[in-house]
Amino acid sequence: MKVENSDVPTIFNPRKPRLSQSNAVLTSDHRPYGPFSHVLSRSESLCQPEDVEQVEQCQRRQLGVFKRLKNKCCSKHARKVYYGLCVTFFVTASWVGATHAIKYLYMYHPTKYPVLTGSGFNFSSIHQQTLMTYNAPFFTTWFCTNWTVLFFPLYFFCQLGSPNYQTPTDILGESVRNFRDRGFTAAHFLTRCCMFCMLWVFTNYLYIHALSILVATDALALFAINVCCVYLLSWVILHDQFVGVRIVAVILCSTGVALLAYMDAGITNKKKTMTGVLLAALAAAGSAVYKVMFKKMIGDATYGQVSLFFSLIGLLNAALLWPVCLVLYFSEVEILHWDRLPWMILLSASTLSLVANLLGNLSVAFTYDIFITFGLITAVPVSAAIDITIHDVQFYGMKLAGIILISIGFLLVMFPNNWPEYIFRLLRNIILLSHSARWSRKNRGLPPNPPKVEIDYRTGYIRSHLRSPSGRVR
């Protein structure tokens, strides 16, 4: 008879399946005849009914394990984790690429010209001096921010090509409808867009200007403290839950910033370094203010609303702030040589910055937010490897200690609110696996009867019941 699916035993409820006719031992009345009949009869006589049952039960248990493993590996949660790992990789690559491309703009000096020194006209008085061809942090900020105009067009075309097809009118209406339902008038909405545009440009300007002073890795590590600033502002403004370990993370990040501020020993270098550290720390604080105020004023927005909002920020930046670039250029505050402008580096920095912002704001649809945030801190060791290999930067002393403390604080602030419960679950699973492995070593070849492990969360005691095949408790 065939074994139905309901008769298949599971790990926690083993059953003994019935013996099928094909596995029955041949009796003396039903032995086959022929030249090899004695060999067949002997091999079949060695297979006892209990052994057949154990073999069938083991095979079905293995099939059940493989089926459960397949379901876990292809589940929705597993796919989100796979997408999250890819998002972390691309966020790290785009952040590192954009930061080092902007840093390279300040080191781009393609022209050298002779300069006469002293009163004489001998050849020893002539030396080569490098011409500074680019030192324009505000123009870089303005140019890179203009690319955020592409947010909504990219979202629009992706929606048109999606399986759940929508008309262009429906896509645009869905992006505007929720703003109108919340009571935003056109003037009110544009006013808030202008405010967020100024905050966005100010934050990016501070970060790009800090790159003219600091090493790229130092600027990335300092900008990573925006996660701690977001928690503090969310606790004060949005009344989020208080978590003690996150306060420890804030203290560690603050200590790391202080160590980076005093990492140079010289008086001149120390003042310059402190200025760069202050700019990068203010950029991190500005980014936190932007995120918390967006949550406070706009609330939970859809992907279409976020795309429309960023496109409007790019349009307002291009329309309102170009006179500032001209004023800084003609007043010679910023150095720009249009015939020697490194357009390829500017375009690379703008594209990578756009990719990083797209992943940071829209990839939540495919994965968990923690993978996006984690990509910011993984950019620090990758950037350090590039600085050590290409620019011969050395990380030691207070610089290394500051970066390590900021990284630890970043990881601590990502702890969930109920992190003690996760630790108890992890300990319970580890203890369960260890008891199961010990039981399997002592009872090798016997039918499975896994141990029962209980953890008292109030006292922390562990109660383990190892049952033998006979049913007695060990």
Side-chain angles (χ1 to χ4, degrees), residues 2-275:
K2 295 183 180 180
V3 180
E4 298 179 357
N5 293 333
S6 59
D7 295 333
V8 177
T10 61
I11 292 179
F12 300 101
N13 187 21
R15 301 176 186 173
K16 292 184 177 180
R18 297 179 180 177
L19 191 62
S20 60
Q21 292 180 358
S22 59
N23 294 324
V25 180
L26 296 177
T27 63
S28 59
D29 298 333
H30 298 85
R31 288 179 181 175
Y33 295 95
F36 302 101
S37 59
H38 63 284
V39 180
L40 181 59
S41 302
R42 182 182 177 185
S43 62
E44 290 173 344
S45 63
L46 295 176
C47 183
Q48 301 298 328
E50 293 79 5
D51 298 335
V52 175
E53 292 179 1
Q54 291 179 7
V55 170
E56 286 188 355
Q57 190 173 1
C58 182
Q59 291 177 353
R60 291 173 182 172
R61 186 170 68 251
Q62 290 177 355
L63 290 175
V65 170
F66 287 135
K67 185 179 293 185
R68 285 192 298 273
L69 183 61
K70 180 181 177 181
N71 293 334
K72 287 183 179 180
C73 293
C74 301
S75 63
K76 184 178 180 181
H77 172 73
R79 288 197 300 269
K80 277 195 169 186
V81 172
Y82 303 149
Y83 294 150
L85 295 175
C86 296
V87 167
T88 300
F89 173 79
F90 286 111
V91 167
T92 301
S94 57
W95 260 109
V96 173
T99 300
H100 280 270
I102 295 172
K103 179 65 179 177
Y104 186 75
L105 288 172
Y106 297 108
M107 299 184 294
Y108 182 76
H109 310 305
T111 304
K112 292 184 178 181
Y113 61 96
V115 177
L116 182 65
T117 59
S119 57
F121 292 95
N122 53 353
F123 290 100
S124 62
S125 62
I126 300 176
H127 69 279
Q128 295 287 331
Q129 181 173 336
T130 303
L131 175 65
M132 176 69 73
T133 59
Y134 190 89
N135 187 11
F138 188 85
F139 174 77
T140 306
T141 306
W142 178 81
F143 187 83
C144 293
T145 306
N146 288 338
W147 284 60
T148 58
V149 176
L150 299 176
F151 257 77
F152 188 76
L154 291 175
Y155 169 79
F156 183 81
F157 288 113
C158 288
Q159 286 295 105
L160 286 179
S162 62
N164 49 350
Y165 177 76
Q166 292 180 341
T167 61
T169 307
D170 294 336
I171 298 173
L172 184 61
E174 183 269 335
S175 303
V176 178
R177 188 181 304 112
N178 290 334
F179 289 122
R180 188 173 59 247
D181 294 341
R182 292 177 185 176
F184 285 101
T185 61
H188 192 196
F189 181 68
L190 288 177
T191 302
R192 293 198 175 185
C193 287
C194 289
M195 183 189 69
F196 281 105
C197 176
M198 299 302 172
L199 184 58
W200 175 274
V201 172
F202 178 72
T203 299
N204 285 272
Y205 170 76
L206 292 176
Y207 180 71
I208 292 174
H209 191 47
L211 285 172
S212 64
I213 303 172
L214 301 175
V215 181
T217 303
D218 299 340
L220 272 173
L222 288 165
F223 191 76
I225 68 172
N226 76 87
V227 180
C228 297
C229 298
V230 167
Y231 167 68
L232 287 178
L233 291 176
S234 301
W235 178 39
V236 174
I237 298 176
L238 302 179
H239 307 289
D240 282 358
Q241 181 181 348
F242 174 81
V243 182
V245 70
R246 294 180 181 175
I247 299 299
V248 177
V250 173
I251 296 173
L252 290 176
C253 288
S254 303
T255 307
V257 172
L259 290 176
L260 288 177
Y262 290 94
M263 60 184 172
D264 287 331
I267 297 176
T268 305
N269 290 336
K270 184 179 292 185
K271 290 182 179 179
K272 189 176 181 181
T273 301
M274 290 185 66
T275 303

